[in-house]
Amino acid sequence: MTASRSHRLRLEAITHRFGASTAVRDINLDIAGGELVALLGPSGCGKSTLLRIISGFIRQTEGRVLFDDSVVDALSPAERGVGIVFQNYALFPHMSVGENVAYGLQAHKWPRERIGKRVAEMLDLVHMGEFASRKPRELSGGQQQRVALARCLAIDPKVLLLDEPFGALDKNLRLDMQIEVKRLQRQSGITTILVTHDQEEALSMADRIAVMSRGHIEQVSTPTGIYDTPQTLFVNEFVGTTNVLRGEFIEGPAVRLEHGPILPVGPDKAFQQGRAVVVSIRPEQLRFRPAPSDGAFAAVITTVLPLGAQVVYDVALTGGPSLKIAEPRDAEGGLRPVGATVYLAPASPAACNVFPAS
Amino acid sequence: MEADSRLVLPLAAIFTAFFVAPLVVLLLLSLHGDIAMQGWTLHNYVKFFTDPFSYSILIDTLLLGVKATLVCLLFGYPIAWLCARAGARWQSVLVFLVILPILTSVVVRTFSWIVILGRQGLLNQVVMGLGLSNEPLRLLYTEVGVVMVLAQVQMPLMVLPILTVLSKLDPNLADASRVLGAGEWRTFFRVTLPLSLPGIIAGCILTYAASITAFVTQTLIGGARLIYMPLNIYQQAVGANNWPFAAALSIIFMITVMIVVGVLGAIGRRSEIHGRA
Ligand SMILES: Nc1ncnc2c1ncn2[C@@H]1O[C@H](COP(=O)(O)OP(=O)(O)OP(=O)(O)O)[C@@H](O)[C@H]1O
Ligand SMILES: [Mg+2]
């Protein structure tokens, strides 16, 4: 079942301009059959535009879209065979749930008897079998989303496009639906693009994440790759939280921070001597040290945030900026007091990411 | 609650004085027997329903409204659809053109239609100039002419409600339809049109009510031989000085119009419940 339904999707050098402004710029993306790729980026970075190009609602200014190995640029949305779940679901309000699901099948001229069977089958798939005669307005947000999914999967699309599908759901329901969508996606083996500006959603659901900024892709990688080895400062700051320290690159390799101390970084970092750089260290990659030792910074705790399983401390470096440091909470639940002087250092030189300062 | 109801009182008083009271007077008047206004009787109502001439005028008037409304819808819906699709600048130009008739005086615009529709009028010159007809078309003083003019004059009442509904429609619905494999026509007939039904109904109610009561247009374009209810009432009251019969005609006309509008409104409310997201 999986292999036959999985279609490869390729974007080659896609650029799109609205008048004089460029909405997406030189996008290259190769998505394997059955893969789930998240497009992650801040508002206005061109995610929806890219989705509309893939579905055929707008024709890109430059570049090509390929499904498997055929160029689909000349095909209309109806001919491309994509399925879209819109952020507001866009169910037809004047039709029942069953009629909504049947709509695409009727448009594809399925025979009547087969439509009935298929609608029942699709509604069962999303556990909405008993709601077939309800109107969309009589459903909860999560139920509407299930119907929207059933409606677009019914016509067996080559590619499934989800535009911020969980944005309108509350937190618990969102998690349920994320699991549900992931299950359906795995089960059907359908190639999927998920648009989101929620990094947790991207990290938990996607096989790969494409982080976008101002119309272009900054990095494409697996969730752990994006999180652990971000290639740009933007990706580092956008995904997860991080501490950013300014300094200059020196022999070592190391970075002399603006407020004085020298911080050794991984041997893979290579910049010109004296180059202005920024060092990024994630809060959980910082460790408390018992005493002032080599390379540990002295700091004073200013805020304590016990966040369930871990505690986040805001600390002010002596003569320098503030940092966030996260530590698992021990069983006794003892917290470090505000105002205490502490010493901290990166877990390892490799935990420091270095980027050229802009 | 009490304060609220007291606030409503002045309004209720005005409403009673200027709307209900004249109606009561009209009703009482219609129950007087004859010109002398003596005694109480249903004579005027009996006369109306037993006189084919009288009630055929009512039927003609109601049908005139239906025709004008249908023509108006036929042209108004595409105009509203174009307005809704046009960019901001074109939309304001189109809307301005559509509401232009409201901005000119009834008499002026009716007379300009006479100039257009007459034997030597603009329309006939164009038609004959193009060789579409050898003889001038008879439009002035015909029902076709009246329907044409009514449809043009009431156009804003049709276009604006439809435009309002169309521009509030979620554009994702049409996109969803297309991506599910539907062409433009299927998308229009299965999604856009049903969802704009509330606007169509509202537009039809307004156009219909305005068309059947358009005394000036009906009379000036229709001439003396085409008689509709407003002119009939006027002639009975002012011409024949038969105020009780004119009053009875008014009451009958009002009630039939209320029934038509009520039925349309009920359909509209049903479609709105269907359409609400
Ligand atoms: N039809 C349009 N005409 C002109 N500019 C547009 C149009 N659609 C989008 N843009 C511009 O293109 C850029 C990208 O928009 P897009 O809707 O793709 O962003 P997005 O990443 O989906 O944002 P969000 O997360 O807010 O939905 C924005 O700067 C937007 O203003
Ligand atoms: Mg968007």
PDB file of all heavy atoms in Angstrom, chain B residues 20-42:
ATOM      1  N   VAL B  20     -49.105  53.346  12.244  1.00  0.00           N
ATOM      2  CA  VAL B  20     -50.275  52.524  12.528  1.00  0.00           C
ATOM      3  C   VAL B  20     -51.556  53.334  12.364  1.00  0.00           C
ATOM      4  O   VAL B  20     -52.521  52.873  11.744  1.00  0.00           O
ATOM      5  CB  VAL B  20     -50.187  51.917  13.950  1.00  0.00           C
ATOM      6  CG1 VAL B  20     -51.436  51.108  14.255  1.00  0.00           C
ATOM      7  CG2 VAL B  20     -48.939  51.067  14.076  1.00  0.00           C
ATOM      8  N   ALA B  21     -51.560  54.556  12.866  1.00  0.00           N
ATOM      9  CA  ALA B  21     -52.780  55.366  12.811  1.00  0.00           C
ATOM     10  C   ALA B  21     -53.288  55.573  11.373  1.00  0.00           C
ATOM     11  O   ALA B  21     -54.465  55.326  11.099  1.00  0.00           O
ATOM     12  CB  ALA B  21     -52.547  56.698  13.511  1.00  0.00           C
ATOM     13  N   PRO B  22     -52.409  55.989  10.438  1.00  0.00           N
ATOM     14  CA  PRO B  22     -52.908  56.133   9.060  1.00  0.00           C
ATOM     15  C   PRO B  22     -53.460  54.829   8.500  1.00  0.00           C
ATOM     16  O   PRO B  22     -54.455  54.839   7.769  1.00  0.00           O
ATOM     17  CB  PRO B  22     -51.655  56.554   8.284  1.00  0.00           C
ATOM     18  CG  PRO B  22     -50.742  57.124   9.288  1.00  0.00           C
ATOM     19  CD  PRO B  22     -51.017  56.426  10.568  1.00  0.00           C
ATOM     20  N   LEU B  23     -52.836  53.713   8.902  1.00  0.00           N
ATOM     21  CA  LEU B  23     -53.327  52.420   8.414  1.00  0.00           C
ATOM     22  C   LEU B  23     -54.726  52.155   8.930  1.00  0.00           C
ATOM     23  O   LEU B  23     -55.593  51.657   8.201  1.00  0.00           O
ATOM     24  CB  LEU B  23     -52.389  51.295   8.862  1.00  0.00           C
ATOM     25  CG  LEU B  23     -51.162  51.067   7.982  1.00  0.00           C
ATOM     26  CD1 LEU B  23     -50.359  49.891   8.499  1.00  0.00           C
ATOM     27  CD2 LEU B  23     -51.599  50.810   6.551  1.00  0.00           C
ATOM     28  N   VAL B  24     -54.939  52.497  10.207  1.00  0.00           N
ATOM     29  CA  VAL B  24     -56.261  52.286  10.804  1.00  0.00           C
ATOM     30  C   VAL B  24     -57.280  53.164  10.075  1.00  0.00           C
ATOM     31  O   VAL B  24     -58.375  52.704   9.706  1.00  0.00           O
ATOM     32  CB  VAL B  24     -56.227  52.599  12.316  1.00  0.00           C
ATOM     33  CG1 VAL B  24     -57.642  52.570  12.891  1.00  0.00           C
ATOM     34  CG2 VAL B  24     -55.333  51.604  13.030  1.00  0.00           C
ATOM     35  N   VAL B  25     -56.879  54.404   9.830  1.00  0.00           N
ATOM     36  CA  VAL B  25     -57.772  55.315   9.101  1.00  0.00           C
ATOM     37  C   VAL B  25     -58.098  54.723   7.727  1.00  0.00           C
ATOM     38  O   VAL B  25     -59.255  54.700   7.292  1.00  0.00           O
ATOM     39  CB  VAL B  25     -57.105  56.701   8.951  1.00  0.00           C
ATOM     40  CG1 VAL B  25     -57.936  57.578   8.011  1.00  0.00           C
ATOM     41  CG2 VAL B  25     -56.955  57.357  10.306  1.00  0.00           C
ATOM     42  N   LEU B  26     -57.043  54.206   7.068  1.00  0.00           N
ATOM     43  CA  LEU B  26     -57.214  53.621   5.744  1.00  0.00           C
ATOM     44  C   LEU B  26     -58.197  52.453   5.799  1.00  0.00           C
ATOM     45  O   LEU B  26     -59.091  52.323   4.954  1.00  0.00           O
ATOM     46  CB  LEU B  26     -55.849  53.142   5.241  1.00  0.00           C
ATOM     47  CG  LEU B  26     -55.662  53.001   3.738  1.00  0.00           C
ATOM     48  CD1 LEU B  26     -55.798  54.355   3.074  1.00  0.00           C
ATOM     49  CD2 LEU B  26     -54.297  52.409   3.443  1.00  0.00           C
ATOM     50  N   LEU B  27     -58.023  51.614   6.824  1.00  0.00           N
ATOM     51  CA  LEU B  27     -58.874  50.434   6.974  1.00  0.00           C
ATOM     52  C   LEU B  27     -60.328  50.863   7.198  1.00  0.00           C
ATOM     53  O   LEU B  27     -61.252  50.338   6.556  1.00  0.00           O
ATOM     54  CB  LEU B  27     -58.372  49.590   8.148  1.00  0.00           C
ATOM     55  CG  LEU B  27     -59.079  48.246   8.345  1.00  0.00           C
ATOM     56  CD1 LEU B  27     -58.801  47.342   7.146  1.00  0.00           C
ATOM     57  CD2 LEU B  27     -58.611  47.575   9.624  1.00  0.00           C
ATOM     58  N   LEU B  28     -60.523  51.834   8.094  1.00  0.00           N
ATOM     59  CA  LEU B  28     -61.876  52.307   8.372  1.00  0.00           C
ATOM     60  C   LEU B  28     -62.498  52.892   7.106  1.00  0.00           C
ATOM     61  O   LEU B  28     -63.643  52.611   6.770  1.00  0.00           O
ATOM     62  CB  LEU B  28     -61.847  53.367   9.478  1.00  0.00           C
ATOM     63  CG  LEU B  28     -61.445  52.837  10.867  1.00  0.00           C
ATOM     64  CD1 LEU B  28     -61.419  53.965  11.888  1.00  0.00           C
ATOM     65  CD2 LEU B  28     -62.386  51.723  11.304  1.00  0.00           C
ATOM     66  N   LEU B  29     -61.705  53.670   6.399  1.00  0.00           N
ATOM     67  CA  LEU B  29     -62.164  54.300   5.169  1.00  0.00           C
ATOM     68  C   LEU B  29     -62.640  53.251   4.164  1.00  0.00           C
ATOM     69  O   LEU B  29     -63.678  53.400   3.522  1.00  0.00           O
ATOM     70  CB  LEU B  29     -61.000  55.109   4.576  1.00  0.00           C
ATOM     71  CG  LEU B  29     -61.313  56.135   3.495  1.00  0.00           C
ATOM     72  CD1 LEU B  29     -62.335  57.137   4.006  1.00  0.00           C
ATOM     73  CD2 LEU B  29     -60.027  56.865   3.112  1.00  0.00           C
ATOM     74  N   SER B  30     -61.860  52.146   4.093  1.00  0.00           N
ATOM     75  CA  SER B  30     -62.181  51.126   3.097  1.00  0.00           C
ATOM     76  C   SER B  30     -63.485  50.402   3.440  1.00  0.00           C
ATOM     77  O   SER B  30     -64.053  49.736   2.589  1.00  0.00           O
ATOM     78  CB  SER B  30     -61.040  50.121   2.987  1.00  0.00           C
ATOM     79  OG  SER B  30     -61.027  49.281   4.117  1.00  0.00           O
ATOM     80  N   LEU B  31     -63.939  50.532   4.685  1.00  0.00           N
ATOM     81  CA  LEU B  31     -65.155  49.826   5.095  1.00  0.00           C
ATOM     82  C   LEU B  31     -66.399  50.705   4.920  1.00  0.00           C
ATOM     83  O   LEU B  31     -67.504  50.290   5.227  1.00  0.00           O
ATOM     84  CB  LEU B  31     -65.026  49.356   6.551  1.00  0.00           C
ATOM     85  CG  LEU B  31     -63.936  48.296   6.769  1.00  0.00           C
ATOM     86  CD1 LEU B  31     -63.753  47.984   8.240  1.00  0.00           C
ATOM     87  CD2 LEU B  31     -64.244  47.034   5.984  1.00  0.00           C
ATOM     88  N   HIS B  32     -66.182  51.935   4.468  1.00  0.00           N
ATOM     89  CA  HIS B  32     -67.334  52.765   4.130  1.00  0.00           C
ATOM     90  C   HIS B  32     -67.877  52.344   2.788  1.00  0.00           C
ATOM     91  O   HIS B  32     -67.128  51.955   1.900  1.00  0.00           O
ATOM     92  CB  HIS B  32     -66.922  54.242   4.059  1.00  0.00           C
ATOM     93  CG  HIS B  32     -66.787  54.873   5.403  1.00  0.00           C
ATOM     94  ND1 HIS B  32     -67.814  54.906   6.312  1.00  0.00           N
ATOM     95  CD2 HIS B  32     -65.751  55.493   6.006  1.00  0.00           C
ATOM     96  CE1 HIS B  32     -67.420  55.520   7.398  1.00  0.00           C
ATOM     97  NE2 HIS B  32     -66.147  55.878   7.258  1.00  0.00           N
ATOM     98  N   GLY B  33     -69.206  52.446   2.649  1.00  0.00           N
ATOM     99  CA  GLY B  33     -69.847  51.898   1.458  1.00  0.00           C
ATOM    100  C   GLY B  33     -69.522  52.621   0.174  1.00  0.00           C
ATOM    101  O   GLY B  33     -69.126  52.013  -0.807  1.00  0.00           O
ATOM    102  N   ASP B  34     -69.628  53.925   0.165  1.00  0.00           N
ATOM    103  CA  ASP B  34     -69.535  54.600  -1.119  1.00  0.00           C
ATOM    104  C   ASP B  34     -68.883  55.969  -0.965  1.00  0.00           C
ATOM    105  O   ASP B  34     -68.326  56.285   0.070  1.00  0.00           O
ATOM    106  CB  ASP B  34     -70.928  54.750  -1.730  1.00  0.00           C
ATOM    107  CG  ASP B  34     -71.871  55.354  -0.713  1.00  0.00           C
ATOM    108  OD1 ASP B  34     -71.378  55.924   0.295  1.00  0.00           O
ATOM    109  OD2 ASP B  34     -73.091  55.238  -0.897  1.00  0.00           O
ATOM    110  N   ILE B  35     -69.020  56.740  -1.991  1.00  0.00           N
ATOM    111  CA  ILE B  35     -68.373  58.039  -1.998  1.00  0.00           C
ATOM    112  C   ILE B  35     -68.911  58.921  -0.876  1.00  0.00           C
ATOM    113  O   ILE B  35     -68.197  59.738  -0.310  1.00  0.00           O
ATOM    114  CB  ILE B  35     -68.565  58.708  -3.377  1.00  0.00           C
ATOM    115  CG1 ILE B  35     -68.131  57.707  -4.456  1.00  0.00           C
ATOM    116  CG2 ILE B  35     -67.813  60.014  -3.489  1.00  0.00           C
ATOM    117  CD1 ILE B  35     -68.303  58.175  -5.856  1.00  0.00           C
ATOM    118  N   ALA B  36     -70.172  58.713  -0.544  1.00  0.00           N
ATOM    119  CA  ALA B  36     -70.767  59.518   0.514  1.00  0.00           C
ATOM    120  C   ALA B  36     -70.209  59.160   1.893  1.00  0.00           C
ATOM    121  O   ALA B  36     -70.398  59.895   2.864  1.00  0.00           O
ATOM    122  CB  ALA B  36     -72.284  59.342   0.518  1.00  0.00           C
ATOM    123  N   MET B  37     -69.538  58.034   1.974  1.00  0.00           N
ATOM    124  CA  MET B  37     -68.903  57.563   3.203  1.00  0.00           C
ATOM    125  C   MET B  37     -69.915  57.351   4.331  1.00  0.00           C
ATOM    126  O   MET B  37     -69.712  57.759   5.463  1.00  0.00           O
ATOM    127  CB  MET B  37     -67.815  58.549   3.657  1.00  0.00           C
ATOM    128  CG  MET B  37     -66.712  58.677   2.619  1.00  0.00           C
ATOM    129  SD  MET B  37     -65.344  59.593   3.261  1.00  0.00           S
ATOM    130  CE  MET B  37     -64.488  59.989   1.767  1.00  0.00           C
ATOM    131  N   GLN B  38     -71.001  56.689   3.991  1.00  0.00           N
ATOM    132  CA  GLN B  38     -72.008  56.370   4.995  1.00  0.00           C
ATOM    133  C   GLN B  38     -71.999  54.880   5.292  1.00  0.00           C
ATOM    134  O   GLN B  38     -71.801  54.079   4.393  1.00  0.00           O
ATOM    135  CB  GLN B  38     -73.403  56.763   4.490  1.00  0.00           C
ATOM    136  CG  GLN B  38     -73.554  58.230   4.144  1.00  0.00           C
ATOM    137  CD  GLN B  38     -73.452  59.140   5.336  1.00  0.00           C
ATOM    138  OE1 GLN B  38     -74.112  58.897   6.343  1.00  0.00           O
ATOM    139  NE2 GLN B  38     -72.620  60.174   5.269  1.00  0.00           N
ATOM    140  N   GLY B  39     -72.214  54.528   6.563  1.00  0.00           N
ATOM    141  CA  GLY B  39     -72.411  53.137   6.958  1.00  0.00           C
ATOM    142  C   GLY B  39     -71.150  52.293   6.857  1.00  0.00           C
ATOM    143  O   GLY B  39     -70.088  52.752   6.429  1.00  0.00           O
ATOM    144  N   TRP B  40     -71.257  51.027   7.307  1.00  0.00           N
ATOM    145  CA  TRP B  40     -70.137  50.081   7.293  1.00  0.00           C
ATOM    146  C   TRP B  40     -70.448  48.924   6.391  1.00  0.00           C
ATOM    147  O   TRP B  40     -71.516  48.359   6.450  1.00  0.00           O
ATOM    148  CB  TRP B  40     -69.845  49.565   8.698  1.00  0.00           C
ATOM    149  CG  TRP B  40     -69.544  50.689   9.655  1.00  0.00           C
ATOM    150  CD1 TRP B  40     -70.397  51.208  10.591  1.00  0.00           C
ATOM    151  CD2 TRP B  40     -68.327  51.410   9.756  1.00  0.00           C
ATOM    152  NE1 TRP B  40     -69.797  52.216  11.271  1.00  0.00           N
ATOM    153  CE2 TRP B  40     -68.512  52.371  10.791  1.00  0.00           C
ATOM    154  CE3 TRP B  40     -67.118  51.369   9.078  1.00  0.00           C
ATOM    155  CZ2 TRP B  40     -67.517  53.269  11.154  1.00  0.00           C
ATOM    156  CZ3 TRP B  40     -66.140  52.240   9.448  1.00  0.00           C
ATOM    157  CH2 TRP B  40     -66.329  53.189  10.472  1.00  0.00           C
ATOM    158  N   THR B  41     -69.508  48.526   5.543  1.00  0.00           N
ATOM    159  CA  THR B  41     -69.771  47.423   4.606  1.00  0.00           C
ATOM    160  C   THR B  41     -68.460  46.868   4.044  1.00  0.00           C
ATOM    161  O   THR B  41     -67.433  47.547   4.049  1.00  0.00           O
ATOM    162  CB  THR B  41     -70.642  47.908   3.425  1.00  0.00           C
ATOM    163  OG1 THR B  41     -70.690  46.876   2.454  1.00  0.00           O
ATOM    164  CG2 THR B  41     -70.067  49.159   2.786  1.00  0.00           C
ATOM    165  N   LEU B  42     -68.546  45.613   3.546  1.00  0.00           N
ATOM    166  CA  LEU B  42     -67.387  45.012   2.870  1.00  0.00           C
ATOM    167  C   LEU B  42     -67.504  45.199   1.359  1.00  0.00           C
ATOM    168  O   LEU B  42     -66.762  44.604   0.595  1.00  0.00           O
ATOM    169  CB  LEU B  42     -67.296  43.519   3.204  1.00  0.00           C
ATOM    170  CG  LEU B  42     -66.753  43.187   4.592  1.00  0.00           C
ATOM    171  CD1 LEU B  42     -66.853  41.694   4.845  1.00  0.00           C
ATOM    172  CD2 LEU B  42     -65.316  43.660   4.741  1.00  0.00           C
TER     173      LEU B  42
END
